[in-house]
Amino acid sequence: VDEENSFNEMLDNLKFLHSIVTTHQTSLRKIALKERPVTRDNFFNVKSLFTLRDLFDSRVHLGHHIGCWNAANKKYLYGIRNNMHIIDIASTEQHLWRALNVASLTAYSGGSVLFVNTRPGYGHIIQRAASSCGERFWTETKLLGKYEELDLTWFDKGKPDLVICSSVNNPICQKLLLHCNKYLVPSIGILDSDVDPTNLTYVIPGNDDSSQSILFYKAVVSTQSTGLFYHKVFARAIQRAKLVRESYQPEPSASAKNLR
């Protein structure tokens, strides 16, 4: 009986020591996540997620007719061809890298991301992209009057840390982006030549409704559609950032090692 009591006491002591080590390692992990130099250039290697050729094949350089442009986007335009604005694809590349780093850092820090697109026919693209990286999506398509209020009680109860919107010109999205500004929620948006960039935090100059996307709208799934390209690349960036966060295990301090 004495030997059994002694053994149980020793086992309890070992469990107690193990709990101390586990708690200490958890606190070290949280500190390391905050101190990790995530702000350095290309920390998440987002530049490997796409190439200029990918952008070209996805037709992101095709803007709208010259009569539909928004003058605020002049600096993102390369020129005019057949009365259509051509978006500077090099500018798209740079801004997309920055936006992917923002999304990656948000996911790495444990923040939540909301994918938004209210264009008909894009719902399941958004759902698939968001679900693949464990994030939320919103594809509300209700038509609103000019002064009609958008019900965003769901947004207020669980505000995301970042919103990625690929149908910025839609009135519903404009109202959602205004709501984001009100609650200081940063946003990333696809900036076509006719889009108003006022309510966006981070812009990505590029086409948001190319012919490839229209093929998808007609139920012909194209792996090169603009909408699919943007959301796939963001989903991959978020997945990668979460893997980095989960795999990073800081070395325990000397005091923790002594407890083993």
Side-chain angles (χ1 to χ4, degrees):
V1 176
D2 292 338
E3 290 182 359
E4 184 177 351
N5 291 337
S6 178
F7 177 79
N8 289 334
E9 184 179 355
M10 181 180 67
L11 189 61
D12 291 339
N13 289 334
L14 288 173
K15 288 181 179 179
F16 176 70
L17 290 173
H18 182 266
S19 67
I20 293 176
V21 173
T22 302
T23 302
H24 188 64
Q25 288 180 333
T26 301
S27 62
L28 283 175
R29 181 180 174 84
K30 290 180 179 179
I31 293 172
L33 282 171
K34 293 180 180 179
E35 296 179 348
R36 191 81 161 148
V38 294
T39 54
R40 75 168 183 246
D41 184 46
N42 205 29
F43 175 80
F44 297 103
N45 195 26
V46 297
K47 294 181 179 181
S48 67
L49 292 172
F50 68 94
T51 64
L52 272 176
R53 184 70 191 185
D54 293 329
L55 294 176
F56 181 80
D57 290 342
S58 298
R59 305 294 189 265
V60 302
H61 60 292
L62 301 178
H64 283 271
H65 190 275
I66 56 175
C68 301
W69 78 310
N70 189 307
N73 302 332
K74 183 178 180 179
K75 58 184 175 181
Y76 305 122
L77 301 178
Y78 179 79
I80 298 174
R81 183 178 177 85
N82 297 330
N83 290 324
M84 304 288 289
H85 276 120
I86 304 299
I87 298 170
D88 185 358
I89 202 170
S91 177
T92 302
E93 181 184 47
Q94 295 294 325
H95 284 78
L96 184 53
W97 281 342
R98 182 179 68 166
L100 288 171
N101 270 315
V102 170
S104 298
L105 179 57
T106 301
Y108 180 84
S109 303
S112 63
V113 179
L114 178 67
F115 287 80
V116 175
N117 190 305
T118 57
R119 186 175 288 117
Y122 275 71
H124 60 292
I125 290 181
I126 312 305
Q127 294 175 24
R128 186 166 59 190
S131 299
S132 68
C133 58
E135 299 297 341
R136 295 186 295 162
F137 60 87
W138 191 61
T139 56
E140 175 66 60
T141 57
K142 175 188 174 184
L143 295 177
L144 294 175
K146 186 174 181 180
Y147 301 105
E148 188 176 350
E149 288 296 325
L150 181 63
D151 183 11
L152 291 171
T153 53
W154 58 269
F155 185 96
D156 301 339
K157 292 178 180 178
K159 289 190 292 292
D161 297 289
L162 177 68
V163 169
I164 300 175
C165 181
S166 55
S167 57
V168 179
N169 253 9
N170 187 286
I172 297 178
C173 288
Q174 284 292 325
K175 291 186 178 183
L176 175 64
L177 291 172
L178 280 171
H179 209 66
C180 289
N181 292 339
K182 177 181 177 181
Y183 286 96
L184 302 180
V185 176
S187 58
I188 295 172
I190 311 303
L191 193 69
D192 212 331
S193 61
D194 65 333
V195 173
D196 182 3
T198 303
N199 296 319
L200 292 169
T201 312
Y202 302 97
V203 302
I204 304 172
N207 189 292
D208 61 358
D209 55 359
S210 69
S211 57
Q212 274 79 356
S213 298
I214 293 174
L215 286 176
F216 178 82
Y217 181 77
K218 294 180 179 178
V220 180
V221 178
S222 168
T223 57
Q224 294 299 325
S225 73
T226 304
L228 188 58
F229 168 77
Y230 283 129
H231 289 92
K232 281 180 67 175
V233 77
F234 271 106
R236 289 172 185 164
I238 292 171
Q239 287 171 343
R240 179 178 294 181
K242 288 182 176 180
L243 287 174
V244 171
R245 182 185 66 194
E246 293 171 1
S247 63
Y248 177 61
Q249 294 286 348
E251 285 292 325
S253 64
S255 58
K257 289 181 179 178
N258 294 333
L259 289 175
R260 291 183 175 177

